[in-house]
């Protein structure tokens, strides 16, 4: 049996006689060829390559096998074992810097997953320097693309945007279509965070077309998952959930991170859509996945989203342990965006417990952090609510300026005794709400959106003097009451504060 025949047969049984270095290289090539389409087969090839490499005294051969093991662990969602394998490879390559640079390309991503960003940045810098010295701008661009992924994970989106664009330019020059498609997919995620949804959709479409042409089914799946989240963030909730349900049936073995992030994404936009019970369930499942994967950052996110959903349902006591768990896991993370969201949730909890000063301190800290554009409206709204409650209209006016929430600007005008301006802004708030309703695909979703917009609707009602316009707001508040009833668990018999007046 030849080496090629042995590998084609699955590399089972005794290896045929051939040079050890050739045998290990062939096994690594087979693992790379199958890693996106048949994960179990790739894992087997990597394991055999590692066993074969241990028979050699050549450090480079051992390093290549260790690096392949790292790739398999990383794609299987096992970041810590991946880092350990990459560390072994890095040590084996101590006398071959170019191989260390090759290892860095994926190692940066694994280090980001376990929160070792500074180390990842140092390794990226060293790898780029090695490639620049070799005149290999293509591989340097690949390193920069993974560096952009790490920056994005930290929510340093403007830096990530510039880094992605630089990498895309070089990859396009070299016609590296496979690399380019992956980078464009990741860049689209960055654009979503910057609320540039149209550009994100364009990137997804280009990347998906490339993956389909290459029959890269797992990458097509990942793009479709990202697009489902994009639809959810745009308010197309039913469309997003139907897409998720269909995609879940096609998940391959060991698609751990994809499943977990899919659930996190659902919890995120379900929370903002007023579907709080569904958000809690999605967060529950995400916690289960990321507990198995020992992914601390993602666990922190899931606990935070679940706690926020409980807060929206008026369950401060239930939310408190989740927020404590999120704080424990996120406090060491350098992501200012998620720390700002954590402080926002803490402020909501403090306010529910009758601690307005503590809530204000938390929100002032949140407002100073560099959160992403997609999250700033929530942070601003929460801060302004507290400023209104404290009677500080001057600071509220400064915070709102001309681009704040129209319902809150209407409230400010009403408190400043400007009824005509209050009515004008109330109409703007209702027009924005109606645009959201136009995207809702069912009565249930429209009611949940009414629940999420309850405070804005109340202020629109107060800002209007015309009876007919007020009646329109009342009908929306009725929808909000129905939404709250739908969300209540059967075991809960106490009527939430304010619901009786809607009845």
């Amino acid at each position: 049996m030849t080496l090629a025949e042995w590998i084609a047969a699955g590399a089972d049984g005794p290896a045929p006689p051939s040079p050890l270095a050739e045998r290990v290289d062939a096994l690594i090539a087979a693992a790379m060829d199958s890693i996106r389409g048949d994960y179990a087969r790739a894992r087997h090839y990597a394991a055999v390559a590692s066993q074969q490499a241990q028979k050699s005294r050549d450090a480079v051969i051992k390093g290549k096998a260790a690096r392949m093991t790292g790739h398999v662990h990383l794609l299987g969602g096992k970041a810590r074992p991946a880092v350990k394998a990459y560390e072994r490879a890095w040590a084996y390559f101590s006398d071959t810097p170019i191989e260390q640079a090759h290892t860095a390309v994926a190692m940066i991503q694994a280090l980001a997953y376990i929160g070792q960003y500074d180390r990842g940045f140092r390794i990226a810098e060293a790898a780029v320097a090695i490639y620049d010295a070799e005149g290999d701008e293509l591989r340097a661009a690949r390193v920069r693309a993974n560096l952009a992924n790490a920056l994005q994970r930290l929510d340093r989106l403007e830096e990530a945007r510039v880094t992605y664009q630089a990498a895309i330019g070089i990859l396009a020059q070299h016609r590296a279509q496979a690399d380019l498609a992956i980078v464009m997919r990741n860049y689209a995620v960055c654009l979503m965070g910057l609320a540039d949804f149209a550009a994100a959709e364009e990137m997804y479409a280009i990347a998906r077309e490339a993956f389909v042409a290459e029959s890269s089914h797992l990458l097509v799946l990942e793009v479709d998952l990202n697009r489902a989240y994009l639809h959810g963030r745009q308010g197309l909730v039913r469309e997003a959930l139907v897409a998720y349900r269909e995609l879940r049936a096609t998940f391959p073995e060991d698609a751990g991170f994809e499943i977990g992030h899919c659930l996190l994404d659902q919890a995120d936009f379900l929370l903002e859509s007023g579907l709080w019970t569904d958000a809690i369930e999605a967060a529950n499942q995400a916690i289960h996945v990321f507990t198995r994967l020992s992914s601390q950052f993602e666990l922190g996110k899931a606990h935070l989203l679940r706690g926020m959903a409980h807060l929206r349902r008026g369950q401060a006591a239930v939310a408190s342990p989740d927020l404590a768990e999120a704080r424990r896991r996120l406090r060491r993370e350098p992501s200012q965006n998620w720390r700002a969201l954590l402080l926002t949730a803490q402020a909501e909890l403090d306010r529910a417990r009758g601690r307005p000063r503590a809530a204000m301190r938390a929100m002032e800290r949140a407002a100073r952090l560099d959160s992403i554009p997609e999250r700033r409206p929530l942070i601003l709204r929460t801060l302004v609510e507290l400023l209104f409650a404290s009677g500080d209209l001057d600071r509220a006016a400064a915070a709102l300026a001309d681009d704040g929430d129209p319902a809150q600007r209407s409230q400010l005008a009403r408190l400043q005794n400007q009824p005509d301006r209050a009515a004008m802004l109330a109409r703007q708030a209702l027009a924005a709400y109606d645009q959201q309703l136009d995207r809702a695909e069912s009565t249930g979703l429209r009611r949940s959106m009414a629940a999420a917009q309850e405070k804005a609707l109340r202020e629109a009602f107060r800002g209007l003097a015309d009876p007919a316009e007020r009646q329109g707001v009342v009908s929306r508040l009725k929808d909000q009451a129905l939404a709250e009833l739908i969300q209540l668990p059967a075991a809960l018999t106490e009527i939430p504060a304010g619901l009786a007046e809607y009845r």
Side-chain angles (χ1 to χ4, degrees):
M1 180 183 288
T2 66
L3 177 60
E5 290 171 340
W6 178 66
I7 289 176
D12 290 319
S18 59
L20 186 57
E22 180 183 340
R23 201 181 313 154
V24 172
D25 284 343
L27 287 163
I28 290 172
M32 288 299 296
D33 287 343
S34 56
I35 195 166
R36 289 285 183 181
D38 189 340
Y39 177 80
R41 190 176 183 85
R43 183 173 56 191
H44 171 69
Y45 282 137
V48 178
S50 183
Q51 292 169 3
Q52 293 291 319
Q54 293 308 309
K55 301 176 182 179
S56 173
R57 295 182 180 179
D58 189 329
V60 172
I61 292 175
K62 292 180 179 179
K64 288 179 178 179
R67 182 168 61 207
M68 188 66 236
T69 300
H71 294 341
V72 169
H73 284 315
L74 182 60
L75 197 64
K78 301 171 183 175
R80 291 187 186 281
V83 168
K84 291 180 180 178
Y86 289 136
E87 287 172 342
R88 291 197 302 274
W90 192 272
Y92 284 132
F93 294 141
S94 59
D95 295 328
T96 49
I98 193 67
E99 292 293 349
Q100 285 188 329
H102 296 344
T103 305
V105 176
M107 191 175 181
I108 298 163
Q109 185 176 349
L111 287 167
Y113 279 144
I114 63 172
Q116 294 186 21
Y117 301 101
D118 290 341
R119 186 179 173 201
F121 293 152
R122 289 195 301 270
I123 287 173
E125 185 178 353
V128 168
I130 292 168
Y131 287 137
D132 284 346
E134 294 285 329
D136 193 340
E137 65 175 8
L138 175 59
R139 284 194 168 95
R142 288 171 178 160
V143 174
R144 289 191 175 97
N146 275 2
L147 177 59
N149 294 342
L151 289 168
Q152 176 180 284
R153 188 174 167 82
L154 287 169
D155 297 304
R156 290 162 57 176
L157 298 187
E158 288 295 347
E159 293 175 73
R161 185 209 291 263
V162 173
T163 309
Y164 277 128
Q165 289 174 341
I168 286 171
I170 298 299
L171 294 171
Q173 288 176 21
H174 286 265
R175 300 185 181 276
Q177 298 303 320
D179 290 313
L180 189 59
I182 291 173
V183 176
M184 292 176 84
R185 190 281 306 268
N186 294 336
Y187 181 33
V189 178
C190 175
L191 290 168
M192 272 202 300
L194 290 166
D196 193 346
F197 297 130
E201 178 58 43
E202 183 181 355
M203 290 293 111
Y204 283 137
I206 295 170
R208 191 182 195 281
E209 184 178 349
F211 295 148
V212 169
E214 295 177 358
S215 298
S216 299
H217 303 301
L218 182 57
L219 289 171
V220 172
L221 169 64
E222 291 174 5
V223 168
D224 288 341
L225 286 171
N226 291 143
R227 293 176 96 176
Y229 179 55
L230 175 60
H231 292 149
R233 295 304 305 183
Q234 292 175 303
L236 302 171
V237 178
R238 184 174 180 276
E239 183 177 329
L241 291 176
V242 169
Y244 276 127
R245 184 172 66 242
E246 293 174 352
L247 291 167
R248 284 290 297 274
T250 65
F251 279 177
E253 178 190 4
D254 294 318
F257 271 110
E258 285 76 15
I259 294 172
H261 281 290
C262 165
L263 292 164
L264 265 186
D265 291 345
Q266 289 181 68
D268 193 356
F269 69 73
L270 288 169
L271 174 65
E272 295 306 311
S273 301
L275 293 165
W276 300 314
T277 300
D278 299 292
I280 290 167
E281 178 57 29
N284 286 341
Q285 295 179 36
I287 288 169
H288 176 74
V289 171
F290 289 121
T291 298
R292 179 169 56 82
L293 295 173
S294 299
S295 183
Q296 301 304 306
F297 189 20
E298 279 72 18
L299 273 172
K301 293 179 182 181
H303 279 288
L304 175 55
L305 292 173
R306 188 170 73 177
M308 293 178 76
H310 282 304
L311 281 171
R312 303 287 167 82
R313 295 183 63 185
Q315 299 171 313
V318 180
S320 183
D322 268 322
L323 298 188
E325 192 67 21
R327 187 163 50 251
R328 184 174 74 84
R329 295 179 187 278
L330 296 176
R331 65 185 175 186
R332 292 189 179 90
E333 289 290 335
S335 170
Q336 294 199 40
N337 179 61
W338 283 95
R339 283 159 55 195
L341 282 181
L342 179 60
L343 287 165
T344 303
Q346 183 61 51
E348 289 187 26
L349 180 62
D350 286 330
R351 182 170 52 180
R353 289 175 165 177
R355 301 171 56 192
R357 291 183 179 178
M360 180 65 78
R361 287 195 297 271
M363 283 315 304
E364 287 172 341
R365 290 173 60 197
R368 288 194 296 268
L369 292 174
D370 188 19
S371 54
I372 64 176
E374 195 178 11
R375 305 297 185 181
R376 287 174 197 155
L378 169 63
I379 294 167
L380 177 61
R381 283 198 306 271
T382 308
L383 174 62
V384 171
E385 285 172 10
L386 290 169
L387 290 169
F388 280 148
S390 68
D392 195 339
L393 299 188
D394 290 339
R395 284 184 64 196
L400 285 170
D402 294 325
D403 58 352
D405 177 59
Q408 289 188 323
R409 292 168 64 203
S410 173
Q411 182 179 0
L412 177 64
R414 182 173 57 80
L415 293 172
Q416 292 174 331
N417 197 26
Q418 300 175 13
D420 292 343
R421 179 173 171 78
M424 178 194 69
L425 291 166
R427 294 185 191 104
Q428 287 183 17
L430 289 171
Y433 172 75
D434 287 337
Q435 286 181 353
Q436 286 184 302
L437 283 192
D438 289 342
R439 294 193 295 267
E441 299 106 323
S442 70
T443 301
L445 283 174
R446 285 193 288 273
R447 288 172 176 168
S448 72
M449 287 179 180
Q453 295 288 330
E454 182 234 349
K455 291 176 183 176
L457 293 175
R458 282 174 176 265
E459 287 312 317
F461 180 83
R462 294 184 178 115
L464 296 171
D466 182 78
E469 289 182 315
R470 284 193 154 211
Q471 182 60 38
V473 180
V474 168
S475 68
R476 291 166 167 86
L477 289 172
K478 286 179 180 177
D479 272 351
Q480 191 272 339
L482 288 169
E484 284 197 5
L485 287 171
I486 290 168
Q487 297 298 327
L488 290 177
L492 188 60
T493 56
E494 182 182 351
I495 297 176
L499 187 56
E501 68 181 82
Y502 296 145
R503 284 182 173 174

